[in-house]
Amino acid sequence: FQFLADWTQGVWLRGRGIIILLFYVVKFIGFSYRCAEDPSNGFVLSFMGFTFGVGLCEELVKALPLLWHFKSKGTMGWRAACLWGFASGVGFGVAEGIMYSSRHYNGVSGGDIYVVRFVSCVALHAVWASSAGIFLWKHQNLLHDAEGFLGVLVNAMVIVSAPMILHGAYDTLLKKEMNSWALAVAGVSFLWLVFQVETARRRDPDEAESEDVGYAAAAGKVYCIGGMLLGDEKLGNVDNVDAYDPATDRWTPVARLP
């Protein structure tokens, strides 16, 4: 993106269509990267750069295997989606740790900085990608209902929006040497993953401890609708609607009851 943005600097196109739109998306991302890298920029411009440049691109890249799976098949459960995201995040974090170490620390800094860099890179990338994977499992309809490449791209950005913003905030705060706030963002990232796990567990029909559930069959699928936790209304009602597809032998979340 940076190369394309630099190569097209000063070039402006007129017209309509997906090519023109993608051209300006690339230029915007390239501009965002320059905002992130410029040390003279203030907090707002740096945050925009790290969010829409670094955060958006890196979170989309990590989510690519999951986006492809749920767009083409969508047979895995939330645990597998979390594991795929975790593996993608770990791989990306290791690669980024090696890159940063070779560029900035190699032969200059002590060994402790390598430990900090690798632990932070790997852990946070794994957390962000895992939470995106679970969120995607819960909102598969965003990909299924998307029309055309542009629709898929926009909805993919929605899917990674929370990790993208957390990623951008963390990098901006580190750049501005606001380390305590950066640590707080890392904590919020972990809590966001915990929230995704707990809500996925409640929506998973294989784990839901609910009774008085309604069932319906339509279009070759069986739908599991609502219910009460442990059959006790005092514990709360379940607002899940899940569909079982005999062809794939999988339950998938469909909607939430109003």
Side-chain angles (χ1 to χ4, degrees), residues 32 91 108 173 184 195:
S32 298
V108 178
L173 292 166
F195 173 77

Side-chain angles (χ1 to χ4, degrees), residues 163-174:
M164 175 187 76
I165 294 171
L166 291 168
H167 191 156
Y170 180 80
D171 285 355
T172 304
L173 292 166
L174 282 184

Side-chain angles (χ1 to χ4, degrees), residues 61-201:
V61 167
K62 290 184 293 182
L64 279 177
L66 285 162
L67 291 170
W68 171 83
H69 173 82
F70 281 106
K71 180 61 177 175
S72 60
K73 300 178 182 179
T75 57
M76 70 170 63
W78 72 267
R79 284 190 176 86
C82 180
L83 184 59
W84 273 39
F86 179 83
S88 180
V90 168
F92 195 98
V94 169
E96 186 175 86
I98 294 173
M99 181 188 69
Y100 271 97
S101 298
S102 63
R103 287 184 179 179
H104 304 292
Y105 312 132
N106 195 17
V108 178
S109 303
D112 56 334
I113 192 64
Y114 293 91
V115 176
V116 172
R117 169 57 65 181
F118 272 88
V119 169
S120 62
C121 275
V122 173
L124 284 174
H125 277 298
V127 166
W128 290 328
S130 298
S131 62
I134 300 174
F135 185 88
L136 176 53
W137 174 82
K138 293 190 293 185
H139 301 279
Q140 300 174 38
N141 60 298
L142 288 175
L143 290 182
H144 297 159
D145 298 340
E147 297 183 0
F149 175 80
L150 181 59
V152 172
L153 178 61
V154 170
N155 287 357
M157 292 172 62
V158 172
I159 289 166
V160 302
S161 58
M164 175 187 76
I165 294 171
L166 291 168
H167 191 156
Y170 180 80
D171 285 355
T172 304
L173 292 166
L174 282 184
K175 177 186 176 183
K176 298 301 182 182
E177 298 183 350
M178 303 169 68
N179 297 333
S180 297
W181 285 104
L183 183 61
V185 171
V188 171
S189 301
F190 178 76
L191 292 176
W192 176 248
L193 175 59
V194 171
F195 173 77
Q196 294 302 317
V197 170
E198 289 302 314
T199 52
R201 289 181 60 189

Side-chain angles (χ1 to χ4, degrees), residues 8-14 20 23-24 27:
T8 59
Q9 191 168 4
V11 177
W12 303 96
L13 300 179
R14 292 183 179 181
I20 301 297
F23 174 80
Y24 285 106
K27 288 184 72 70

Side-chain angles (χ1 to χ4, degrees), residues 4-56:
L4 290 175
D6 292 338
W7 184 62
T8 59
Q9 191 168 4
V11 177
W12 303 96
L13 300 179
R14 292 183 179 181
R16 298 179 179 180
I18 186 66
I19 300 299
I20 301 297
L21 179 61
L22 288 176
F23 174 80
Y24 285 106
V25 167
V26 169
K27 288 184 72 70
F28 175 72
I29 292 176
F31 170 74
S32 298
Y33 266 99
R34 289 195 295 272
C35 289
E37 293 176 345
D38 190 345
S40 64
N41 284 333
F43 186 90
V44 174
L45 270 179
S46 294
F47 176 69
M48 187 196 76
F50 278 114
T51 300
F52 293 101
V54 179
L56 174 60

